[in-house]
């Protein structure tokens, strides 16, 4: 039987997507894979000793025709902190609708389609936050580390998105395809692309689910204000303790409400 050209194109698209999408193992351990990307990115100081934020500050000073000063550094790292605040805010907003139990679950959740809050502007606000935080934190890494953090996170996030989209299309069918046709995948629209579905946010739950990201953000804010690297790393080192405590709280919350985390 001869296939139509459009059918061949659809089949080829599905084939390359299936090859690129993350495996079940990668999805289950996505937190640790992303953590490993950050570890590799910052470890590259051993090869490239120049901080990317410092280089950018020097470039700003050169454009102004002035010598490099603390003002240029504060501007660069204030911008990094602002990006991190926006990333954490977007993720918190999304998790408030999605629920933190879904966000930390090792199983892909397809029982419902969330089309409220930031999901009306972009299909993957949490993964958008991942990429934004990689850019912000990358300014604390070396030049090579910045490239690894941004490219590594973007590629892995894209593979996770393909995995989730395939599962959602298989389970939600036409309703999900219509949602995908209306709402962009990763670059937000300037206005809501779908009508609100009536979901109610729980911002305290959203904050609980995103405390790890807010600790990253706090470390950048502290550095932008003080330019004290030791204080930056002290705040940053608290992130994994915060993650462990918030994960414990999320699991207790899920047991009380009868939801699977």
């Amino acid at each position: 039987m001869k296939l139509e050209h459009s059918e061949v194109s659809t089949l080829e698209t599905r084939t390359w997507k299936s090859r690129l999408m993350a495996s079940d193992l990668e999805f289950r351990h996505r937190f640790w894979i992303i953590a490993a990307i950050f570890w590799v990115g910052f470890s590259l100081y051993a090869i490239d000793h120049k901080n990317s934020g410092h280089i950018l500050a020097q470039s700003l000073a050169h454009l102004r025709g002035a010598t490099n000063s603390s003002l240029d550094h504060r501007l660069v790292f204030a911008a990094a902190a602002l990006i991190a605040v926006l990333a954490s805010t977007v993720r918190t907003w999304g998790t408030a609708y999605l629920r933190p139990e879904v966000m930390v679950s090792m199983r892909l959740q397809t029982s419902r389609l969330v089309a409220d809050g930031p999901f009306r502007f972009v299909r993957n606000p949490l993964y958008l936050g991942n990429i934004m935080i990689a850019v912000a934190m990358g300014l604390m890494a070396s030049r090579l580390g910045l490239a690894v953090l941004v490219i590594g996170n973007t590629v892995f996030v894209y593979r996770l998105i393909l995995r989730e989209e395939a599962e959602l299309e298989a389970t939600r069918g036409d309703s999900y395809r219509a949602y995908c046709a209306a709402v962009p995948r990763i670059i937000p629209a300037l206005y809501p692309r779908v009508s609100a579905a009536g979901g109610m946010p729980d911002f305290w739950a959203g904050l609980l689910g995103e405390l790890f990201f807010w600790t990253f953000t706090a470390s950048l804010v502290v550095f932008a204000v003080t330019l004290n690297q030791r204080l930056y790393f002290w705040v940053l080192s608290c992130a994994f303790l915060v993650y462990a405590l918030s994960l414990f709280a999320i699991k207790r919350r899920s047991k009380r409400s009868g939801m699977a985390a």
Side-chain angles (χ1 to χ4, degrees):
M1 182 175 66
K2 188 175 180 180
L3 295 175
E4 296 291 337
H5 177 71
S6 60
E7 293 175 323
V8 172
S9 298
T10 301
L11 183 60
E12 289 176 346
T13 300
R14 288 177 178 174
T15 299
W16 73 257
K17 281 186 176 181
S18 65
R19 290 174 179 171
L20 280 177
M21 70 176 58
S23 66
D24 288 336
L25 180 66
E26 288 174 297
F27 183 84
R28 289 198 303 272
H29 300 290
R30 61 194 182 279
F31 174 83
W32 296 109
I33 292 174
I34 292 171
I37 293 172
F38 273 87
W39 182 84
V40 170
F42 279 97
S43 296
L44 289 172
Y45 266 123
I47 300 173
D48 178 9
H49 306 299
K50 293 188 177 182
N51 173 263
S52 59
H54 175 71
I55 296 299
L56 183 55
Q58 286 183 324
S59 299
L60 286 176
H62 179 73
L63 288 173
R64 293 190 298 108
T67 57
N68 190 27
S69 68
S70 62
L71 174 62
D72 299 292
H73 284 81
R74 290 185 190 281
L75 288 173
V76 167
F77 292 109
L82 178 59
I83 294 171
V85 168
L86 291 174
S88 296
T89 300
V90 167
R91 282 190 58 97
T92 301
W93 189 19
T95 302
Y97 283 95
L98 191 63
R99 298 196 315 261
E101 292 82 7
V102 173
M103 189 271 295
V104 303
S105 177
M106 296 181 70
R107 293 180 288 110
L108 187 56
Q109 306 289 317
T110 59
S111 59
R112 66 190 182 109
L113 177 61
V114 178
D116 286 298
F119 295 93
R120 299 174 65 199
F121 297 85
V122 61
R123 299 201 310 259
N124 299 281
L126 272 67
Y127 289 140
L128 170 62
N130 279 61
I131 296 171
M132 291 172 67
I133 205 76
V135 172
M137 296 297 291
L139 290 173
M140 294 298 299
S142 65
R143 295 166 298 180
L144 187 57
L146 170 63
V148 167
L149 286 174
V150 175
I151 295 172
N153 274 279
T154 302
V155 169
F156 185 58
V157 157
Y158 184 68
R159 296 181 67 234
L160 290 172
I161 288 172
L162 291 180
R163 178 75 186 182
E164 294 184 10
E165 287 183 343
E167 294 289 339
L168 284 165
E169 185 175 356
T171 56
R172 310 302 298 179
D174 290 340
S175 63
Y176 183 67
R177 282 188 285 271
Y179 174 70
C180 289
V183 182
R185 174 182 280 151
I186 200 69
I187 299 176
L190 296 177
Y191 58 92
R193 301 300 295 271
V194 294
S195 300
M200 296 300 294
D202 183 344
F203 286 106
W204 285 115
L207 181 61
L208 173 63
E210 299 302 331
L211 284 175
F212 179 76
F213 269 76
W214 280 111
T215 308
F216 269 38
T217 299
S219 69
L220 284 171
V221 171
V222 165
F223 186 77
V225 172
T226 66
L227 296 181
N228 186 320
Q229 195 173 48
R230 181 177 297 179
L231 191 55
Y232 161 77
F233 280 112
W234 185 89
V235 176
L236 186 63
S237 66
C238 296
F240 285 94
L241 175 60
V242 168
Y243 176 75
L245 293 173
S246 61
L247 185 60
F248 175 75
I250 291 169
K251 289 184 179 295
R252 289 198 60 176
R253 181 178 182 272
S254 68
K255 288 180 180 179
R256 289 197 303 268
S257 61
M259 293 184 292

